[in-house]
Amino acid sequence: MNTTSFETRAYMALGAGIIAASFATTAIRLTQNAGMDSMSLVTFRLTLITLLMAPFALRNGRTEWAALERRDWLLAIVAGVLLAMHFIAFISSLEYTSVINNQTLNGTSPLFAAAAGWLIFRERLNRRILFGIALAFAGSLLINFSTQGGNPPTREAPLLGNSLATAGAAFFALYLVLGRNVRGKMNWLPYSWMVFGLAALTMWILNPILQIQMFGYSREAYLWAIAVTLLAQLITHSSFNFAVGQISPTLVSMATMVIPIGATTVALFVLDEVPGVPSIIGALIILVGVGLANLRPARD
């Protein structure tokens, strides 16, 4: 298959991922409203996606896993733990704050990734990126200190929910930064299955400590949890992992900025969740900041 065909498939995958992500946030809230605990949902979706992808990953990934060095496995394990922490913070956030706050603050992960790259790998940050980070930080402050959490999260506590969403963005950024060298040595399917599986294993290790309940929920809760897994995990994460291997990571990051708009629109019609004015203004400021930081490859 020629390069053009691969790029076309990558753009199609990126579009599918954005649409799925826009619906996934509302599906998470509906799962919570049906009674499933956030920790249980994280464990369920990671376990289910690991099982669903196993036959395909095991058939294609054994050679690539065998070629990994000890340092690669260590980085992959840390990346899997960080991915689990991201899901815990991100999903728990939706219990306390609005979809627009959750999605916009979660979308600041590229800025955390830039900061982590500077701290860990001494990568250069130019003035444009620094200005974008400062602008997004100002928008985050506006959202974080807003008393409007949306109508209605499960338990309205906007400051807690916003803080969890921000923490989720930081965990995801670290997951990307620490895992990118391993991802560069592997195709998207074996890599995705590996980190999903490691994240699932992390949740099962935490299971007895946090007393995570996996059984006894309603059929509605399990059906929504399956929908979350298919939309957010199978389609969104896998399609982004595929797309970033074929087209510019900067373009992928820019495209994902559409997700908060789509997710907020879906929540408006399905959940009757009307975002507050401070959240809208803060979201726009953050989107401009993230856009500036990802507008083009960093160079002075």
Side-chain angles (χ1 to χ4, degrees):
M1 187 174 291
N2 59 43
T3 303
T4 303
S5 298
F6 272 118
E7 288 184 356
T8 300
R9 290 174 60 189
Y11 283 116
M12 292 176 63
L14 182 60
I18 290 171
I19 294 172
S22 298
F23 282 91
T25 311
T26 291
I28 291 171
R29 177 70 65 71
L30 292 171
T31 309
Q32 293 167 334
N33 290 347
M36 182 173 286
D37 178 79
S38 295
M39 296 290 189
S40 303
L41 176 55
V42 174
T43 308
F44 181 92
R45 67 182 276 184
L46 285 170
T47 302
L48 180 57
I49 194 62
T50 301
L51 294 174
L52 289 174
M53 293 177 66
F56 308 99
L58 291 172
R59 183 177 61 190
N60 299 313
R62 294 177 182 175
T63 302
E64 296 184 43
W65 294 322
L68 294 179
E69 300 175 358
R70 182 177 178 181
R71 180 177 180 272
D72 296 327
W73 278 107
L74 179 60
L75 287 173
I77 291 171
V78 175
V81 172
L82 288 169
L83 185 60
M85 296 302 102
H86 158 70
F87 285 131
I88 289 173
F90 168 70
I91 291 179
S92 297
S93 166
L94 282 166
E95 293 187 28
Y96 303 100
T97 194
S98 64
V99 168
I100 186 173
N101 290 2
N102 169 277
Q103 283 293 301
T104 307
L105 292 170
N106 186 64
T108 60
S109 59
L111 305 183
F112 283 105
W118 175 72
L119 286 171
I120 298 172
F121 300 109
R122 297 301 178 187
E123 295 177 345
R124 190 179 182 186
L125 299 180
N126 65 14
R127 287 186 294 273
R128 175 179 50 79
I129 293 177
L130 291 173
F131 181 71
I133 291 174
L135 199 60
F137 179 71
S140 299
L141 286 179
L142 181 59
I143 289 177
N144 271 297
F145 290 102
S146 169
T147 57
Q148 293 178 293
N151 179 34
T154 308
R155 295 192 290 271
E156 190 165 1
L159 185 56
L160 174 58
N162 297 338
S163 299
L164 285 169
T166 304
F171 283 130
F172 191 71
L174 287 172
Y175 153 73
L176 291 177
V177 170
L178 293 179
R180 66 185 180 185
N181 288 336
V182 184
R183 169 64 181 92
K185 298 179 180 180
M186 305 179 67
N187 289 316
W188 71 273
L189 179 58
Y191 178 77
S192 296
W193 186 80
M194 179 174 65
V195 292
F196 290 166
L198 290 168
L201 179 61
T202 300
M203 294 307 301
W204 282 104
I205 291 173
L206 291 175
N207 192 296
I209 301 172
L210 301 178
Q211 297 183 330
I212 301 172
Q213 177 186 344
M214 294 303 298
F215 305 101
Y217 294 111
S218 66
R219 182 172 64 176
E220 179 187 5
Y222 285 115
L223 289 175
W224 279 119
I226 293 172
V228 169
T229 304
L230 297 178
L231 289 169
Q233 206 74 30
L234 183 62
I235 300 177
T236 300
H237 280 269
S238 296
S239 63
F240 287 171
N241 281 338
F242 173 76
V244 80
Q246 306 297 327
I247 57 181
S248 166
T250 300
L251 181 58
V252 174
S253 295
M254 292 289 288
T256 59
M257 291 172 60
V258 179
I259 294 174
I261 300 172
T264 302
T265 303
V266 173
L268 175 64
F269 286 100
V270 177
L271 301 174
D272 294 324
E273 183 175 286
V274 181
V277 173
S279 294
I280 296 175
I281 296 174
L284 291 174
I285 293 173
I286 289 174
L287 289 175
V288 171
V290 174
L292 280 174
N294 288 277
L295 192 57
R296 59 186 181 273
R299 63 181 65 172
D300 284 329

